[in-house]
Amino acid sequence: MNRVSSTFHNHFLTRSPNIILSTCLRRISTLSVTNLIQNHIHNGNITDARQLFDQNPQSCNTLTWNSMITAYIKHNQMQSAHNLFDEMPVRDVVSWNTMMSGSNKAKDPHKLHQLFLQMKRAGVTPNHFTFSTAISGFVNTFEILVPQLHVLVLHLGLHSNVFVGSALMRGYTRLQDRKGLLRVFDDVVLKDISTWNALVVGYMELGLTVEAQIIFDKMPDVNIISWTTLVNGYIENKKISQARSIFDNMPQKNVVTWTAMIKGYAKCDKYNDAIQLFISMLKSGTRPNHFTLSTVLDACAGCSTFLFGNQLHSCILKSGFHSEVVLLTSLVDMYTKCGDIEAALRVFESMEKKNVVSWNSVIGGCARHGLATRALCEFERMIESGVKPDNVTYINLLSACVHGGLVEEGERHFSLMEGRYGIKAEMKHYSCMVDLYGKSGEIEKAERLVKEMPFEPDVGVWGALITACGLHSCYELADGLENLARDYPTIYAMLVKLNGEKGEWSRAVEMRNKMMEAGARQQTAGSRTEFPLV
DNA sequence: GTAGGGTTAG
């Protein structure tokens, strides 16, 4: 109000009464319109705010435009934010920063990159907000640009800012650049807990658990996030017992800490430990969230504990998490892996939102249960619903074709995969195709595909081919694969079988002896190798 | 009116 009164006073001294009056009214109306818009935004009435905004273009300054854009972003209306940004008469550094932060929220690093370049071209100088937003958004996609942005940061003297510092530290961590990480850490003069945590994360991600622990022990302050970071770091480095020891000695735990530790067990296939820990969590009085529940469902799927998974389903229905896509997808996956495809399909049908992972789970589930035609139908439905397939979709789809012996369908999808969707065939796609040809007796096609593959075949591809030789008694081809047996000793087992069938007893015995020498019998007896036995 | 740490699925 002081600024307003002083402005009035100056006008009284220099202007005629009419001009003074109209200026005063305009100022009052500008102030009140801006305030009203801000009020609407504050109360979440974004439509009313926009209406007022449109009705009073002359009253809206850059600050009001920025507020409107911020409100749209907050309400996940990125397109409206964008339209308004495009119409802005004057864009300041806040306008650009806001749009960049919106792109981060929408997980659109390409848009962020574009905005950053446009901002530079528009001659607007970036500030510490710009860099912390841009660098965070570039990690994972444009991390290669991090050192260049760091140079700009140093040039503009923004390197001691804590936000810029932790963003840069994540960038250098991603680039596996230990020196860069430490240099940025040292440059942040007033380090806070986040700065220290970022160094612990960095060392952990570089596999330097000892160094990470030393830093943790040196930290002037630690919070629950620091502790969880440490536990998670040990888990990522496969040091589960160290993780558990930290976990047990933490001064306090919350749902995030519990979930991280449960996930740690699930990750190293200790599913029962994961479930036991979940039960301890419940006993401790910590309520699970949707992150916890999908982790535990994953553990149930891993050890096929249908009963426990089924109980979790009831919990989910009561929990209020019934619209979480990830959680429901875990549920679908749990049911397919626990053998109840009908329940999986029911859950899937009930899902309001489905993403590519949800579709992949149901297609993979059908494939696993031998419902090849159903898998193909679900794939068609997926395309119709506008969800784009990815590499996993095709692995599941092709394996459905293998189960159903659908050679032509498989061939068609294999060629459409790259032709229509630009998905390059990976090893697993080739191994499905070799398996598909091999199981249906088209050994020549299988062999040709192995030769034409753009990379060296792996155990899965060879396994598929060798199984085919065994199934269809292709002695010639199999005999030619003997040189591979040193790497994949189970080939001997197949050679024993084929030579036996052919009556080549001395060679069968030779192969059997070689197999015993190579320890193939021991290797295959109790292992989880994917290499199929003939 | 703008910025950063820990947990979820195929």
Side-chain angles (χ1 to χ4, degrees), chain A residues 63 203 327 517:
Chain A
L63 190 146
Y203 279 150
L327 179 55
E517 268 171 42

Side-chain angles (χ1 to χ4, degrees), chain A residues 120-178:
Chain A
K120 267 182 85 182
R121 256 181 258 133
V124 177
T125 309
N127 62 13
H128 39 286
F129 285 89
T130 321
F131 284 107
S132 71
T133 308
I135 296 165
S136 315
F138 286 169
V139 173
N140 297 334
T141 316
F142 295 108
E143 66 270 15
I144 196 81
L145 299 175
V146 167
Q148 291 176 43
L149 290 176
H150 189 191
V151 172
L152 278 172
V153 164
L154 290 166
H155 188 69
L156 292 165
L158 301 170
H159 51 279
S160 56
N161 179 280
V162 276
F163 292 93
V164 177
S166 34
L168 278 170
M169 287 171 73
R170 281 172 195 279
Y172 280 113
T173 298
R174 175 77 193 175
L175 290 169
Q176 304 265 300
D177 182 342
R178 186 180 173 178

Side-chain angles (χ1 to χ4, degrees), chain A residues 407 411 434 437 442-450 452:
Chain A
V407 179
E411 278 181 329
V434 171
Y437 286 136
E442 304 207 41
I443 311 288
E444 280 174 18
K445 278 193 175 179
E447 199 187 350
R448 203 181 316 139
L449 199 61
V450 173
E452 285 170 6

